[in-house]
């Protein structure tokens, strides 16, 4: 009888260890997590600004996950040559995949580390010379506009900045191409949200785990009025492909020129900074549960 009494606690401890081991294994089991990027579809500037594309370039992503059960998660995905993502596209390149331990996170944070393009330095002298000509005021406005147009063309051909937004602005008979370019070291700290907006999210091996980072141009430009945008210094580019504007989209004026608003830290810098300051705070990561 005494022997049986001794066996019972041992059996209990054995089962406890087995259950503890299974529980630990469950919370260390990695699951596939897919991260996508999207553009919020809300109208921008009351529909006057149409976003044509947003392309970002990442150097790395840091993941910081605090879990209720199991060890916390700290990991970094580095992109040695940069990871270029066309946020406006629907190709597989718009998706990044990770292996993360399943479990409940409170919170789960992604740190996006953007990668500047050093090729921009080759255009710095041209931009500085143009700014000097603009300040001196000796050149005709049209010459300055053409010079800026050449800089914009070179920039679009040679530089892949951290963030490049291409858009088209229209109000009545006014048409502009809008280029917003950020190419400085930039960090976005984005906290994952559940379907109700809370910061407690779960990843499970029993379902497809997906997150969507949403960029919100409507918010970026919400403090920019039409008059502010239309007062920006423009660059003009000879549209050789469509001098007569045959598609009647209004891109060209009577002289066959396309008008560009270049929003850059050195060109139209006040508008640039106003938009830049709103990027991170409006970026949201939703976890599909």
């Amino acid at each position: 009888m005494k022997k049986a009494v001794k066996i019972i606690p041992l059996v209990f401890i054995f089962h406890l260890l087995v259950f503890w081991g299974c529980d630990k294994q469950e919370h260390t089991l990695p699951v596939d997590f897919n991260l996508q990027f999207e553009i919020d579809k809300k109208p921008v500037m009351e529909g006057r600004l149409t976003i044509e594309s947003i392309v970002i370039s990442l150097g790395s992503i840091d993941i910081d996950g605090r879990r209720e059960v199991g060890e916390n998660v700290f990991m970094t995905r580095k992109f040695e040559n940069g990871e270029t993502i066309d946020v406006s596209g629907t190709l597989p390149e718009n998706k990044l995949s990770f292996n993360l331990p399943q479990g409940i996170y409170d919170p789960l944070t992604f740190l996006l580390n953007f990668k500047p393009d050093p090729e921009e330095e080759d255009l710095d002298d041209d931009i500085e010379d143009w700014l000097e000509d603009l300040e001196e005021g000796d050149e005709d406005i049209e010459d300055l506009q053409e010079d800026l147009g050449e800089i914009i063309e070179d920039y679009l051909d040679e530089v892949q900045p951290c963030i490049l937004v291409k858009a088209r602005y229209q109000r009545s008979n006014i048409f502009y191409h809008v280029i917003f370019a950020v190419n400085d070291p930039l960090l976005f700290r984005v906290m994952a949200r559940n379907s109700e907006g809370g910061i407690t999210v779960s990843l499970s091996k029993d379902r497809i785990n997906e997150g969507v980072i949403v960029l919100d141009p409507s918010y970026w430009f919400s403090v920019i009025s039409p008059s502010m945008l239309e007062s920006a210094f423009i660059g003009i580019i000879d549209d050789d492909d469509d001098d007569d504007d045959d598609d009647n989209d209004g891109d060209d004026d009577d002289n066959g020129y396309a008008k560009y608003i270049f929003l850059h830290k050195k060109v139209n810098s006040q508008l640039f900074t106003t938009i830049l300051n709103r990027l991170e705070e409006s970026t949201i990561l939703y976890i599909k549960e």
Side-chain angles (χ1 to χ4, degrees):
M1 184 70 179
K2 290 182 180 180
K3 193 172 185 180
V5 171
K6 291 181 180 179
I7 292 175
I8 292 175
L10 291 175
V11 172
F12 173 77
I13 293 173
F14 172 77
H15 284 290
L16 184 64
L17 290 173
V18 169
F19 287 131
W20 179 82
C22 291
D23 183 68
K24 182 178 180 182
Q25 184 179 15
E26 285 292 306
H27 291 282
T28 57
L29 182 68
V31 297
D32 292 331
F33 177 79
N34 296 322
L35 182 64
Q36 295 178 298
F37 294 79
E38 293 182 1
I39 301 174
D40 192 293
K41 301 302 183 183
K42 292 194 298 289
V44 184
M45 296 184 69
E46 299 181 344
R48 297 186 178 97
L49 190 75
T50 301
I51 302 297
E52 297 179 324
S53 67
I54 299 178
V55 179
I56 64 175
S57 182
L58 297 173
S60 66
I61 295 180
D62 296 331
I63 300 175
D64 181 354
R66 308 303 171 106
R67 295 197 295 165
E68 295 183 354
V69 179
E71 296 181 355
N72 293 331
V73 176
F74 303 96
M75 63 174 291
T76 297
R77 166 77 66 81
K78 291 186 178 180
F79 308 109
E80 296 299 335
N81 298 318
E83 181 74 14
T84 301
I85 300 172
D86 184 354
V87 182
S88 49
T90 57
L91 300 175
E93 288 78 5
N94 191 24
K95 179 186 297 184
L96 299 175
S97 296
F98 302 86
N99 286 325
L100 299 177
Q102 72 170 351
I104 298 175
Y105 290 81
D106 187 14
L108 176 62
T109 304
F110 284 70
L111 182 65
L112 308 181
N113 181 12
F114 291 82
K115 182 179 178 61
D117 188 348
E119 293 296 325
E120 186 184 73
E121 296 179 3
D122 295 339
L123 297 177
D124 279 348
D125 289 343
D126 293 339
I127 294 176
E128 291 296 337
D129 290 343
W130 180 85
L131 289 171
E132 185 176 334
D133 292 339
L134 177 65
E135 185 176 352
E136 291 175 353
D138 294 334
E139 290 198 31
D140 294 336
I141 292 296
E142 186 172 337
D143 291 337
L144 289 169
Q145 291 175 337
E146 291 179 354
D147 291 343
L148 180 57
E150 291 180 4
I151 292 173
I152 295 171
E153 281 190 295
D154 291 341
Y155 196 98
L156 294 177
D157 288 340
E158 301 172 14
V159 182
Q160 178 56 66
C162 297
I163 300 176
L164 180 64
V165 180
K166 295 181 181 180
R168 182 177 298 185
Y169 174 83
Q170 175 181 349
R171 185 170 73 90
S172 299
N173 294 322
I174 300 174
F175 300 88
Y176 297 108
H177 296 277
V178 178
I179 305 296
F180 175 74
V182 184
N183 198 49
D184 287 320
L186 189 66
L187 295 173
F188 280 9
R189 185 176 299 276
V190 187
M191 189 176 296
R193 302 280 178 176
N194 58 37
S195 58
E196 297 179 352
I199 62 172
T200 301
V201 299
S202 65
L203 304 180
S204 172
K205 62 181 177 61
D206 297 325
R207 67 169 185 270
I208 298 175
N209 300 281
E210 292 183 331
V212 180
I213 290 182
V214 182
L215 306 181
D216 189 358
S218 176
Y219 182 82
W220 302 348
F221 286 87
S222 61
V223 291
I224 305 296
S225 67
S227 61
M228 293 168 63
L229 196 60
E230 293 167 18
S231 297
F233 200 99
I234 67 170
I236 56 176
I237 298 175
D238 187 1
D239 193 344
D240 295 329
D241 295 331
D242 193 6
D243 290 339
D244 297 325
D245 195 24
D246 292 333
D247 58 5
N248 198 30
D249 61 5
D251 286 347
D252 301 328
D253 62 18
D254 293 337
N255 296 318
Y257 289 110
K259 305 184 189 72
Y260 281 75
I261 296 176
F262 189 42
L263 303 177
H264 181 269
K265 65 179 180 180
K266 294 182 178 181
V267 182
N268 297 310
S269 56
Q270 186 172 353
L271 288 174
F272 169 85
T273 302
T274 300
I275 297 169
L276 178 65
N277 290 338
R278 301 173 70 80
L279 297 187
E280 181 182 8
E281 65 187 57
S282 62
T283 301
I284 299 174
L285 168 57
Y286 293 109
I287 302 294
K288 298 180 181 179
E289 296 181 321

